[in-house]
Amino acid sequence: MPHPPIGIVSIGLYLPERRMTSKELSEKSGIPREILEEKMGIVEKRIPGPSDHTAQMAVWAARTAIERAGVDARDIDLIIYFGEEHKEYPLWTAGIWVQHKIGAVNAYAFDIQQRCGTGVLALKMAKEMMLADDALHTVLLAGGYRNVDFIDYANPRTRFMYNLGAGGGAILLKKGCEANQVLAGRIITDGSFSEDVAVPVGGTKVPLTPELLQQGKYTLDVMDPDGMKARLEEKSMRNFLRVIREAVERSGYRTEEIDYLAILHMKRSAHQYVLKELGLSTEQSIYLERYGHIGQIDQILSLELALQEGRVKEGDLVVFVSAGIGYAWDAIAIRWGSPEGSSPIAAV
């Protein structure tokens, strides 16, 4: 018996009003503005304002998705929070708070984490859970991100993370929805990178003290920058391309049939390399140079912009691709549109 389709009925996005320009970033980091813009691909990025807390941004995005879909929050069966661990409170399940704030009284909720790969992971996980559980008909994915708070612009070891920004995103899924069908995904993780990047203090190994906080140690750092760079150069692009190709193939398509790639923000040359290797033009993706890297929200942001600009059309094969520190590479394919030729979110 064939599985029922799992379709995206709406997406939601929240972006803070505040921006950091390349000029401001240059002043903070000492990196010339032209390097930031041309090589690192940061013209400006979104940064959090006073009220832009992590789970709160997820709530704002979730409300947008619910409103666009025209559904009653009481009909949501499950909420998966895919936002960051850096949120309003430590040791706190944000998904349950999101459930309360949107009025999804009949749902249950939990949080998952895979750094910047979590959004794609959540989409794959949600589809598989919905197919396995007859009680799951409507599922909300929601998350927020503001790891920019952990960047010390005076630390050159973390310069590849100077693009970190802030925002929130949400996806609403329905079982039996033939529009915008979620297809197959592929995920690779490599634990040899698992301790390369972290906030080195504040955990059980090195508890946070007033002295460490005063020394500015409670920020992201790279323990072995040269070793990590060498190992990533060997594996990263290869794994990016592998998860994309295998997600597409598992979905019953060929790589040549990809119409749009919703990819995370990374340095300009890496973005261009991935497109070239896949035979895609610059019109088949959006480079997020005016937003920065909003962690696991990047793919939702890219899709939202693509719909606004008409780059994603009925029948298109869309691929979400991400990577997360740890290290993880994630991709999932989506067949956009509906058999009737009218996607419920053809434009946003």
Side-chain angles (χ1 to χ4, degrees), residues 36-72:
L36 290 168
E37 293 188 359
E38 296 305 318
K39 292 191 175 181
M40 300 175 71
I42 311 169
V43 175
E44 63 179 23
K45 64 177 185 174
R46 299 298 179 105
I47 57 174
S51 301
D52 295 325
H53 303 295
T54 313
Q56 179 63 69
M57 291 189 286
V59 167
W60 287 328
R63 286 175 177 164
T64 296
I66 291 167
E67 181 180 345
R68 284 174 171 174
V71 304
D72 189 327

Side-chain angles (χ1 to χ4, degrees), residues 84 113-122 186-197 228 232 235-244 263-264 266 293 295-296 299 320-331:
E84 264 300 338
Q113 190 48 248
Q114 199 198 48
R115 299 282 74 81
C116 301
T118 321
V120 178
L121 169 64
R186 177 71 167 100
I187 296 174
I188 296 172
T189 58
D190 186 336
S192 67
F193 297 93
S194 60
E195 291 185 302
D196 281 337
V197 181
M228 177 181 170
L232 265 184
K235 295 183 177 182
S236 191
M237 288 298 105
R238 184 176 70 213
N239 284 342
F240 262 120
L241 295 168
R242 180 180 170 190
V243 294
I244 293 168
I263 188 169
L264 75 159
M266 52 182 148
H293 178 35
Q296 43 270 62
Q299 294 72 36
F320 281 14
V321 60
S322 63
I325 293 297
Y327 217 88
W329 296 265
D330 310 63

